[in-house]
Amino acid sequence: MSVSGGGRLPAALDAAMTALNASVHIDSALWREDIAGSIAHARGLARIGVLSDEEAQQIVAGLQQIAGEIERGEFHWDVDKEDVHMNIESRLTALVPAGAKLHTGRSRNDQIATDLRLWARRRAAELEQALLELAGVLLRRAEEHLDLLMPAYTHLQRAQPSRVSHHLMAWQELLWRDLGRLRDAARRLNESPLGAGAVAGSGFALDRAGVASELGFERPMRNSLDATASRDFLMELGSALAILAVHLSRIGEELVIWSTEEFGFVRLSDRFTTSSSMMPQKKNPDVAELVRGRAARVIGDAVSLLVLEKSLSFGYGRDLQEDKPPIFAAAESVLVCVRALSGAIDSMTFNAARLRAALGAGHMCATDVADQLVKLGVPFRNAHHTVGALVRRAEELGVQIDQLPRSEVRAIHPELTEELIDSMFSVEAAVERRQGIGGPARVRVQEAIADARVRWGLSE
Amino acid sequence: MSVSGGGRLPAALDAAMTALNASVHIDSALWREDIAGSIAHARGLARIGVLSDEEAQQIVAGLQQIAGEIERGEFHWDVDKEDVHMNIESRLTALVPAGAKLHTGRSRNDQIATDLRLWARRRAAELEQALLELAGVLLRRAEEHLDLLMPAYTHLQRAQPSRVSHHLMAWQELLWRDLGRLRDAARRLNESPLGAGAVAGSGFALDRAGVASELGFERPMRNSLDATASRDFLMELGSALAILAVHLSRIGEELVIWSTEEFGFVRLSDRFTTSSSMMPQKKNPDVAELVRGRAARVIGDAVSLLVLEKSLSFGYGRDLQEDKPPIFAAAESVLVCVRALSGAIDSMTFNAARLRAALGAGHMCATDVADQLVKLGVPFRNAHHTVGALVRRAEELGVQIDQLPRSEVRAIHPELTEELIDSMFSVEAAVERRQGIGGPARVRVQEAIADARVRWGLSE
Amino acid sequence: MSVSGGGRLPAALDAAMTALNASVHIDSALWREDIAGSIAHARGLARIGVLSDEEAQQIVAGLQQIAGEIERGEFHWDVDKEDVHMNIESRLTALVPAGAKLHTGRSRNDQIATDLRLWARRRAAELEQALLELAGVLLRRAEEHLDLLMPAYTHLQRAQPSRVSHHLMAWQELLWRDLGRLRDAARRLNESPLGAGAVAGSGFALDRAGVASELGFERPMRNSLDATASRDFLMELGSALAILAVHLSRIGEELVIWSTEEFGFVRLSDRFTTSSSMMPQKKNPDVAELVRGRAARVIGDAVSLLVLEKSLSFGYGRDLQEDKPPIFAAAESVLVCVRALSGAIDSMTFNAARLRAALGAGHMCATDVADQLVKLGVPFRNAHHTVGALVRRAEELGVQIDQLPRSEVRAIHPELTEELIDSMFSVEAAVERRQGIGGPARVRVQEAIADARVRWGLSE
Amino acid sequence: MSVSGGGRLPAALDAAMTALNASVHIDSALWREDIAGSIAHARGLARIGVLSDEEAQQIVAGLQQIAGEIERGEFHWDVDKEDVHMNIESRLTALVPAGAKLHTGRSRNDQIATDLRLWARRRAAELEQALLELAGVLLRRAEEHLDLLMPAYTHLQRAQPSRVSHHLMAWQELLWRDLGRLRDAARRLNESPLGAGAVAGSGFALDRAGVASELGFERPMRNSLDATASRDFLMELGSALAILAVHLSRIGEELVIWSTEEFGFVRLSDRFTTSSSMMPQKKNPDVAELVRGRAARVIGDAVSLLVLEKSLSFGYGRDLQEDKPPIFAAAESVLVCVRALSGAIDSMTFNAARLRAALGAGHMCATDVADQLVKLGVPFRNAHHTVGALVRRAEELGVQIDQLPRSEVRAIHPELTEELIDSMFSVEAAVERRQGIGGPARVRVQEAIADARVRWGLSE
């Protein structure tokens, strides 16, 4: 006995299901990968005798023709055929009768997993290339500005003297690790699901290893259930993209702050700013703000991917259709942000006068005074307190500590000579004293740039 | 002195900035609202004499003509004109010279804030309508199945006897609160930013109240900086959508489970399932899975909106361009999911035999036995332990507790008559005993349906 | 036939399960609510004769004694008793034998739902009070600084002249809507789950309405399944807290920027800053940074709550144990941030000289010049271009536009008198011209403050 | 001129700042790492002559004494001393006067970065160990159940015949990649920030390389600004934990479903289930639900870490204090979940009868029939349609396809012999036919287990 609901379905509800179900407007972005996977599968089927050599050749030719049609914009994508796979297979079968045999030993479940892995590998490579360009820009600008000093900030308060190139090299370090994450993700995902079938493998003696090899995969995936139902490669890529986007957003935040009239450290090129519809004098750092904004979206995309898989039982569930919009959007957002930032940083102008002026305030030498006292034998905590007293005294007098009456300074410690005082009050000397590995001394930054050139594989 | 970066910008970087900057492919979705806002603004400018009546009429006519062009698909959207505002204004100025005066006293900052609020109000109303449809389906199906019993589960374990209609009414309760959240959000955002200018209001004596009223807003926003720089209305709407999507996902999860061969409680209509490319026997509950999948994306969208605004200084920053993709996507996802679920629930079939069978196992009467003992004076915790012993005994014998030898049951308590035992072992009696407010007794569910009809404004 | 895994469980795995299972270290925070709910339930049981009046009185007295023990820190929380409910019930039964009857007609499922709703209502009220204090601080400081001008920014670029009080009132507007969201959430959740039992109500004729009323709930929840399995009230509260935290973070961002040496607009009190362990001169805006940091955590907490419920089937699942840590943390974070910001804003000092200096640059009058031209009949877009030319000319000369040779300015338009030029170049006049609703003119801000005092219920 | 706010700060606001500021209740968890870092720093200072050998020895001895005090619970943590660093240094200075020199050339900024990296490395190693245990359990159970067949599901619908061990090995594959992510993260973060100072390095000639080596780091970090201001190692670890938690949650979901009366595939041991306070017959799969619930929290924690860093300018900001609660919670949650699941899976019982029964329905052989037709020369798409017709016919007759009249089956294709039909209708044969790499055939699963033992380094 069963109790039916009757057929009172209004048209809008049917339309909603159609809208929910259709994916071709999204997954058609995978056409290159879908065709590459099908070609490899066809050749594999020929090797095990399911297709004759002639059939395989016809199928391959048909698929190549379809690729051409899509590239030239001549292909008719049909939403009624639901997804990229059915659109291409349907066209193929119209072109080549043997196309009806192509799906032998394959399921859409291993097919889409293959497409997505090929896609992810390609996008990771493009991102890697874009990161190389950005690193190249940073290294070049660091070299150009090797002698330009600036304050290092903590808590957005002036802290200690440093140099512009050291700051740019810090950005580069973050990106270097981002590159590592991308490469790790791309390496880990480079396995072939083809041959895993819908969930439990195939009854045909498919040449999984050969197909994997032809597609540039390192190996076939080791478990058919895992191969079709897992998307951790997308979660991992999404997370790597989110971390990278956070880094770009941090750079963006700095560009916004540095572009203010109050800081005035940099001036972005007109190509990366816009004016205002109401205030013609404005020169807004849009590139930097848009990068920050995109980062928010990439974080949301990464969250979508994590949430999507949470609590999914095995194997493949249709929920996984929804993995494509967030990962596609995240990859595109990050790629465009890396490139736009490359252009913005490449073309921006540093204002040496404002950078210099910023060094002359904020008691930038306080740490160096404390260090000097320590070198004269004062325990660090005591030296720290002494400098605190100097700063308070300077603020009473409305000056920076390096403008305090020398008599007051000399009174701190009997061994404090004029020469020592001059040295500890010089920002140039202060930066040069920071000679340790990873410090802002000129020679250290030069070495860091050279080392980075080698690591990134960027010739000068 | 300033240090320039030189003009070495490769074309790809320029293209990236263009891609990042352009928004017309996204914000053209706001054309209705943009035109409505411009018409109200034009009339307001006429009321204060900035435009002549004739100019205002020409502008209004021009804008109406543009609306027609867009609706008919004849409008040429030009990405070089960056956004929806400039596309429409540019066309307007071509049609009507006075169009060049339209932006007087207005900025894109208050303009886009107005567009977004009008858009959000419209989408909330559409969602409200869709929720009403879904509630209507639930109420009707609850009425149809008033007498169909089923187990209530906790921890996905059979717990106590209940009825299908009671379960459907629980879904309805969640949606009722979702409706409340949507209405609260729509009410709170219904204020007009127009006249707030770029950030600090306008030097013109704009008729903000009149314009607000014409656009159906409750009042002009009270602070120009807030009006242009705040997007909490999108965060709130996004969060309400995410909560609603979570609820839809919970329903989807139940439909997936109920559709398994193992449960077999419902059969979805063919229009809401798909088969497999490899396994022709499959009837997959795609609608339910896609709803779960979309919910993951909506959560990500809500996150994007929260993250986007976090740490934004005032006033307007270009980061806010990125608020549109997530909120547009979230609203569309939820709308399509509500409608598709309406169709799926409307057309699904309950399997009464499987529901009945499920009630006959799982020791569904255990609570009622404990309750009966309490009514005979046994303290609750002791009664609970006694029933635990019965269950263990039944499991030793490989039966349900209602199949235990009556002698063993009667031995529990001297006042336990055959009649009491029959009553406590009857699932029908058990459901009917649950007569409290909100309980599954038939009369209570009938009342609940009637009450819900009134609240939702749904006639029978 | 069944295939067992054998008893090879190492101790660490058992310990892990114990750690996962235990909740008393978290949910003991609900003891007030748990006892209040139990007292109301006991009285309700007495009204329907399940408890004698004497038993009920003993139970109530026992529970009150336990409340005293907990408040005085004398209560022994026992992790082996798993949760707050069993700890209290176990102690009650030791004190009062009738305690063993208290759980009649109740389940931990409706009990914990009741506790959580009472808790959420109490925390929302505390937050409401804290928001009132913060609003009071903002209104008072706005009144104090009614005459202090400052630039309004867009894109963190100086845009138009405004006033400090107008800016503080913008912050207040955001918080006003936050208050609304909290109140809506608190109202919507104020329903009683008690009597819903484990999932399908109770076989006892419980006085649900009376118990609800005694606990200050508006009504009993309408569906037993919904009552025990839904946590949208936590998702909604969590989202409202996240939005509020985002707003606090935006204020924090501004305080960080305003505290820089470069902006120098405010100086936070020493109680809300810290110095550095290495740099004694530093005065870091820690309060503002910590508020930004906490906001990130609150967003994460809100996400946890959304994800937790997504895909949960009905009724109660143990997953829901994990709803407490995120909502407890979010409420505490937001409360402490609201209060700390109140203190920081209350005690911070504005630097009038720096604010004034900032107004003198950035071509702040550009909009007013354009507006003036429009008033003389120039179409807005043309006026905008003219001002653009003036700005470029001023930048060539290295001056602000108000320092351009008057002859060049007068040449723009024949009707431009000296008086008009003076007026359009005066920031004071510019602010006062912004007389529209929500504008920064002195009288408008005064009205806005008065209006806000009424809305918040804050006397002067 | 400056305008002060006056000293009207209520006590509650001061208390809030104290609560916001304090971190010792959180970061005291880093005491081991803080002491290890200080010992290495002291020895490094001795090597460059800032400390005498005797001073360094005294400091090391003092620190070791403090470690003992903390381990024995004798250490007095003082919230007024703010954080773990100051608590330990303050005690050290009380024990050893030379302790006042220890902070020379160091800042809390590089100190906390070092502590966190050491902590992350330790926790990653613990997690790796726990994953190994879980993998060991899975491999052992897979071996035990090598001959136990079960359906493979897609869309939670029975799809194709498979075996229990193949399913467990799929779980193992996911965890294997999780291990890879943890190892990559642990390797990438294994660099020493010590010597980076507050932001711009140190004026002392610190032996950064020696200190790094002593602490087991691979190298000193290459840029002082990056070393103190970056937390991508926490974002990466948090993301890896979230992905792992998602995987555990997927396993949890399956255990919940398999434990239902309807599926009945497994029975969890009593140590990993609980009963109900109202329903004594219940045996709830709490471990699995709690794992799902924790995963939701871990996702929220990962989000907190991403959001926290987004838009932070360089260098160190106090926001970063808030990185500890989410990463600490995430690591602990995942560790306890991995261990609890190990115990649950180790001790759970498979119900072979129910598994067998599930194989006998759902037209499990449909794919094999299609495959057989293909082998007889029918193109795949046609074969697929033929099987669809068989399934419809079987459903008309109310049977499984393997129970269709043989005459109807034989009619499909002239070469279909009885033997071929028997083979294509046998689930055992069907599983064994899936001989491809990664398939469920017995020999393939045996190989997969052997291969996994080698990869994980787990002897039999």
Side-chain angles (χ1 to χ4, degrees), chain C residues 439-455:
Chain C
R442 194 178 195 280
V443 62
R444 285 293 89 77
V445 177
Q446 273 185 310
E447 286 169 7
I449 295 171
D451 170 68
R453 284 213 175 277
V454 172
R455 277 187 283 139

Side-chain angles (χ1 to χ4, degrees), chain C residues 178-314:
Chain C
D178 286 317
L179 182 78
R181 276 182 283 269
L182 279 178
R183 285 178 173 167
D184 286 348
R187 173 181 47 73
R188 201 174 346 262
L189 66 80
N190 198 26
E191 300 184 328
S192 174
L194 259 189
V199 58
S202 169
F204 294 90
L206 300 172
D207 176 19
R208 289 195 66 200
V211 170
S213 168
E214 179 171 344
L215 289 168
F217 285 123
E218 223 170 290
R219 75 179 68 78
M221 290 189 73
R222 297 182 180 96
N223 184 291
S224 63
L225 179 56
D226 174 47
T228 49
S230 298
R231 292 290 185 273
D232 49 312
F233 69 101
L234 294 184
M235 293 194 281
E236 180 177 357
L237 182 60
S239 297
L241 290 171
I243 298 171
L244 172 45
V246 165
H247 287 168
L248 301 176
S249 178
R250 296 187 75 171
I251 295 175
E253 172 84 357
E254 299 220 291
L255 293 181
V256 168
I257 291 172
W258 290 358
S259 297
T260 57
E261 285 95 346
E262 288 77 6
F263 277 76
F265 288 178
V266 298
R267 193 176 171 87
L268 293 173
S269 148
D270 284 350
R271 287 167 299 181
F272 295 93
T273 60
T274 61
S275 186
S276 155
S277 71
M278 202 176 190
M279 298 165 290
Q281 86 282 14
K282 295 290 297 297
K283 188 171 159 65
N284 299 322
D286 291 63
V287 65
E289 296 175 286
L290 287 164
V291 165
R292 289 192 313 197
R294 282 289 176 112
R297 286 178 54 201
V298 177
I299 289 175
D301 292 331
V303 170
S304 292
L305 289 164
L306 289 167
V307 179
L308 182 64
E309 280 205 61
K310 192 197 161 286
S311 305
L312 274 197
S313 63
F314 298 88

